[in-house]
Amino acid sequence: QVQLVESGGGLVQPGGSLTLSCVASGIRFSIYAMGWYRQAPGKQREVVADITTIGTNNVADSVKGRFTISRDNAKNTVYLQMNNLKPEDTAVYYCKAYSALYAYWGQGTQVTVSS
Protein backbone atom coordinates (compact mmCIF):
# COMPACT_ATOMS: atom_id res chain seq x y z
CA GLN A 1 0.00 0.00 0.00
CA VAL A 2 1.38 3.36 -1.02
CA GLN A 3 1.37 6.11 1.56
CA LEU A 4 2.64 9.66 1.49
CA VAL A 5 2.50 11.36 4.87
CA GLU A 6 3.11 15.10 5.15
CA SER A 7 4.02 16.86 8.36
CA GLY A 8 5.41 20.16 9.56
CA GLY A 9 2.51 22.48 8.83
CA GLY A 10 1.10 24.92 11.32
CA LEU A 11 0.48 28.53 12.18
CA VAL A 12 3.34 30.97 11.62
CA GLN A 13 3.67 34.73 11.58
CA PRO A 14 4.53 36.60 8.37
CA GLY A 15 8.26 36.45 7.80
CA GLY A 16 8.56 33.15 9.62
CA SER A 17 9.76 29.77 8.44
CA LEU A 18 8.50 26.22 8.29
CA THR A 19 9.89 22.98 6.95
CA LEU A 20 7.45 20.46 5.53
CA SER A 21 8.33 16.79 5.28
CA CYS A 22 6.74 14.04 3.25
CA VAL A 23 7.62 10.43 4.00
CA ALA A 24 6.79 7.84 1.37
CA SER A 25 6.21 4.14 1.86
CA GLY A 26 5.13 1.35 -0.43
CA ILE A 27 7.05 2.70 -3.43
CA ARG A 28 10.60 2.60 -4.65
CA PHE A 29 11.12 6.21 -3.69
CA SER A 30 14.31 6.83 -5.65
CA ILE A 31 12.66 6.28 -9.04
CA TYR A 32 9.84 8.77 -8.46
CA ALA A 33 9.93 12.46 -9.08
CA MET A 34 8.45 14.39 -6.17
CA GLY A 35 6.45 17.55 -6.00
CA TRP A 36 4.89 19.92 -3.51
CA TYR A 37 1.54 21.48 -4.39
CA ARG A 38 -0.79 23.76 -2.52
CA GLN A 39 -4.43 24.65 -2.57
CA ALA A 40 -5.88 27.74 -0.98
CA PRO A 41 -9.61 28.07 -0.24
CA GLY A 42 -11.54 28.76 -3.42
CA LYS A 43 -8.50 28.27 -5.63
CA GLN A 44 -7.16 25.50 -7.79
CA ARG A 45 -4.31 23.31 -6.66
CA GLU A 46 -1.01 24.66 -7.95
CA VAL A 47 2.51 23.33 -8.11
CA VAL A 48 4.95 24.93 -5.70
CA ALA A 49 8.12 22.99 -6.40
CA ASP A 50 9.27 19.71 -7.86
CA ILE A 51 12.41 17.62 -7.87
CA THR A 52 13.50 14.89 -10.24
CA THR A 53 15.02 11.54 -9.39
CA ILE A 54 18.50 13.00 -9.84
CA GLY A 55 17.80 16.11 -7.80
CA THR A 56 17.10 18.70 -10.47
CA ASN A 57 14.50 21.02 -9.03
CA ASN A 58 12.18 23.84 -9.98
CA VAL A 59 10.16 26.23 -7.89
CA ALA A 60 7.22 28.41 -8.85
CA ASP A 61 7.94 32.07 -9.50
CA SER A 62 5.70 33.04 -6.60
CA VAL A 63 8.01 31.32 -4.10
CA LYS A 64 11.36 31.60 -5.84
CA GLY A 65 14.08 32.73 -3.46
CA ARG A 66 11.96 31.79 -0.43
CA PHE A 67 11.19 28.06 -0.80
CA THR A 68 13.61 25.19 -1.36
CA ILE A 69 12.77 21.60 -2.21
CA SER A 70 15.11 18.73 -1.42
CA ARG A 71 14.99 14.96 -1.08
CA ASP A 72 16.71 12.28 0.93
CA ASN A 73 16.38 8.96 -0.84
CA ALA A 74 17.85 7.09 2.12
CA LYS A 75 14.94 8.33 4.24
CA ASN A 76 12.26 8.17 1.52
CA THR A 77 11.57 11.80 2.32
CA VAL A 78 11.07 15.03 0.41
CA TYR A 79 11.28 18.39 2.16
CA LEU A 80 10.03 21.88 1.50
CA GLN A 81 11.92 24.58 3.35
CA MET A 82 9.78 27.72 3.44
CA ASN A 83 11.28 31.04 4.50
CA ASN A 84 9.92 34.56 4.65
CA LEU A 85 6.37 33.24 4.61
CA LYS A 86 3.59 35.55 3.49
CA PRO A 87 -0.16 35.47 4.17
CA GLU A 88 -0.72 34.48 0.55
CA ASP A 89 1.22 31.25 1.23
CA THR A 90 -1.67 30.08 3.40
CA ALA A 91 -2.96 26.81 1.93
CA VAL A 92 -3.09 23.08 2.34
CA TYR A 93 0.21 21.69 1.09
CA TYR A 94 0.31 18.30 -0.60
CA CYS A 95 3.17 16.14 -1.74
CA LYS A 96 3.02 14.05 -4.87
CA ALA A 97 5.10 11.13 -6.07
CA TYR A 98 4.94 10.56 -9.80
CA SER A 99 6.45 8.59 -12.62
CA ALA A 100 5.53 8.05 -16.24
CA LEU A 101 2.89 5.54 -15.16
CA TYR A 102 1.78 6.36 -11.64
CA ALA A 103 1.00 9.29 -9.38
CA TYR A 104 0.30 9.27 -5.67
CA TRP A 105 -0.80 12.06 -3.33
CA GLY A 106 -0.52 12.66 0.36
CA GLN A 107 -3.40 13.85 2.53
CA GLY A 108 -2.05 17.37 2.94
CA THR A 109 -0.87 19.57 5.77
CA GLN A 110 -2.26 23.00 6.60
CA VAL A 111 0.01 26.02 6.55
CA THR A 112 -1.45 29.26 7.91
CA VAL A 113 0.49 32.50 7.78
CA SER A 114 -1.09 35.12 9.97
CA SER A 115 -0.25 37.65 12.63
Side-chain angles (χ1 to χ4, degrees):
Q1 182 181 359
V2 179
Q3 279 193 312
L4 300 178
V5 181
E6 301 101 332
S7 62
L11 173 64
V12 63
Q13 292 187 343
S17 298
L18 285 174
T19 299
L20 305 183
S21 301
C22 172
V23 180
S25 60
I27 59 172
R28 189 178 166 190
F29 182 79
S30 62
I31 68 171
Y32 282 79
M34 300 297 297
W36 283 100
Y37 291 70
R38 67 185 181 187
Q39 188 166 18
K43 295 189 176 181
Q44 288 191 334
R45 191 171 297 189
E46 61 178 1
V47 61
V48 176
D50 56 58
I51 186 166
T52 68
T53 57
I54 59 171
T56 305
N57 62 84
N58 295 287
V59 294
D61 288 343
S62 58
V63 303
K64 195 162 290 185
R66 300 189 296 122
F67 290 13
T68 303
I69 187 171
S70 61
R71 65 188 295 161
D72 185 339
N73 289 343
K75 296 182 178 181
N76 287 4
T77 302
V78 61
Y79 303 97
L80 186 68
Q81 173 67 45
M82 306 186 294
N83 298 324
N84 191 22
L85 282 159
K86 303 177 180 181
E88 52 263 41
D89 296 318
T90 295
V92 178
Y93 284 71
Y94 300 88
C95 74
K96 177 184 177 183
Y98 57 99
S99 68
L101 295 176
Y102 304 104
Y104 304 100
W105 290 90
Q107 82 290 346
T109 185
Q110 176 70 46
V111 172
T112 303
V113 185
S114 175
S115 55

